[in-house]
Amino acid sequence: MTRDGAGAMSEVPEDLQGGSTEVTKVGGRVLRNRRQGSTNVEWLLTVLERRGFRYSPRFLGLSNDSQQVLEFIEGRAGSYPLPAALRSDEAVISAARALRSLHEVTSDLATEVVEGWMLEAVEPYEVICHGDFAPYNCVFDESRLVGIIDFDTAHPGPRIRDVAAGNAVGFGSLAEQARRARLFCDEYGEVNRTQIIETVCRRLLDLVSYMRSQAAQGDAAFQSHLDDGHDTVYLRDAHYLRTNAAALTRALM
């Protein structure tokens, strides 16, 4: 290891679900394969630690085989179907507070490093977006969010791109979806609610396009997502949101 004397990890490794990259837990640390944008992510995590941001894992350096070594955050990551505790109002509120904190602490970094992220930066560069702020990338202690993980998709952009991902419109009836989205936005703070639904749709379509392009270039992880039908789910979600955009937007106001 290159930092914190982390070279002698003798614990039995445990494979974790890691989205588009392999993730292994060894004791209190997590090893992740590096990929496009990892240098920027490592810089970001280091800055977040230095600034006292309490929700992100510490970047501990690189292993002898050049994997990222990160602090393991204790708790329960969200996985579908979400248990009742992670569908609670407390979970929604704590997620909104954590996202707002991330945006506040990165607002002066948004134009510092624009190139070299896995996902392209999106103007206006207001904050560094997490890029995939969702329950499966959040760690909870009971119903309270205590950590945000998997910053591979981080990139400079407008804060609404993360808010649109985090408002959890996909739960229950249309009325319940709107209520949860409104609760998230109320807790997060100032954001143009008239643009949220369309922003969600654009993000979903962008994600489908990115997944398909990466799979076409031979990325096995993204190809497995396509094989599992993730792109079909995202397209169906976008269609549902656009069909109900007027009602959802009215309820958000």
Side-chain angles (χ1 to χ4, degrees):
M1 302 290 176
T2 60
R3 184 180 169 195
D4 287 354
M9 293 194 297
S10 59
E11 295 91 342
V12 177
E14 173 188 353
D15 291 336
L16 301 176
Q17 184 176 356
S20 60
T21 189
E22 293 183 11
V23 182
T24 304
K25 178 179 179 290
V26 184
R29 291 170 181 168
V30 172
L31 279 69
R32 295 174 57 92
N33 288 340
R34 302 181 83 242
R35 57 180 305 141
Q36 179 185 352
S38 289
T39 298
N40 285 3
V41 171
E42 291 153 10
W43 163 77
L44 173 62
L45 294 178
T46 300
V47 173
L48 291 176
E49 178 190 357
R50 188 166 65 240
R51 294 186 172 189
F53 182 71
R54 62 190 179 90
Y55 295 103
S56 57
R58 289 192 303 143
F59 171 61
L60 301 176
L62 300 179
S63 67
N64 295 330
D65 56 356
S66 297
Q67 287 186 301
Q68 290 180 341
V69 184
L70 306 170
E71 170 194 34
F72 177 74
I73 300 177
E74 294 287 348
R76 179 179 191 175
S79 58
Y80 298 108
L82 293 178
L86 302 192
R87 290 184 280 110
S88 66
D89 285 359
E90 182 182 15
V92 174
I93 290 169
S94 65
R97 289 175 178 170
L99 184 62
R100 180 62 185 239
S101 180
L102 173 64
H103 289 169
E104 288 177 346
V105 81
T106 62
S107 61
D108 66 327
L109 301 175
T111 59
E112 190 164 331
V113 180
V114 174
E115 303 294 334
W117 302 91
M118 187 175 83
L119 300 183
E120 291 185 5
V122 177
E123 294 187 289
Y125 306 145
E126 296 175 346
V127 299
I128 296 185
C129 298
H130 177 275
D132 193 11
F133 188 73
Y136 49 78
N137 284 328
C138 296
V139 179
F140 296 85
D141 178 6
E142 297 297 335
S143 59
R144 181 175 56 89
L145 188 148
V146 295
I148 304 171
I149 57 177
D150 193 356
F151 280 77
D152 284 352
T153 52
H155 61 281
R159 61 182 66 234
I160 195 172
R161 283 181 68 87
D162 268 349
V163 174
N167 60 52
V169 296
F171 296 85
S173 66
L174 188 65
E176 175 62 9
Q177 293 163 17
R179 187 193 71 81
R180 292 172 61 84
R182 187 169 60 250
L183 178 63
F184 187 97
C185 292
D186 286 347
E187 192 63 37
Y188 177 88
E190 184 63 30
V191 67
N192 188 341
R193 303 187 189 198
T194 66
Q195 297 180 3
I196 286 178
I197 302 304
E198 181 56 31
T199 301
V200 176
C201 294
R202 286 201 306 269
R203 288 188 71 260
L204 289 170
L205 296 177
D206 288 348
L207 179 56
V208 168
S209 178
Y210 184 78
M211 290 170 60
R212 289 175 173 175
S213 68
Q214 293 301 301
Q217 294 174 36
D219 191 304
F222 282 109
Q223 183 59 56
S224 70
H225 293 336
L226 297 184
D227 293 341
D228 289 339
H230 291 195
D231 55 337
T232 302
V233 172
Y234 296 147
L235 291 173
R236 186 175 65 229
D237 288 348
H239 175 74
Y240 171 83
L241 288 167
R242 280 187 167 152
T243 299
N244 296 283
L248 285 167
T249 300
R250 282 195 304 271
L252 276 170
M253 306 306 290

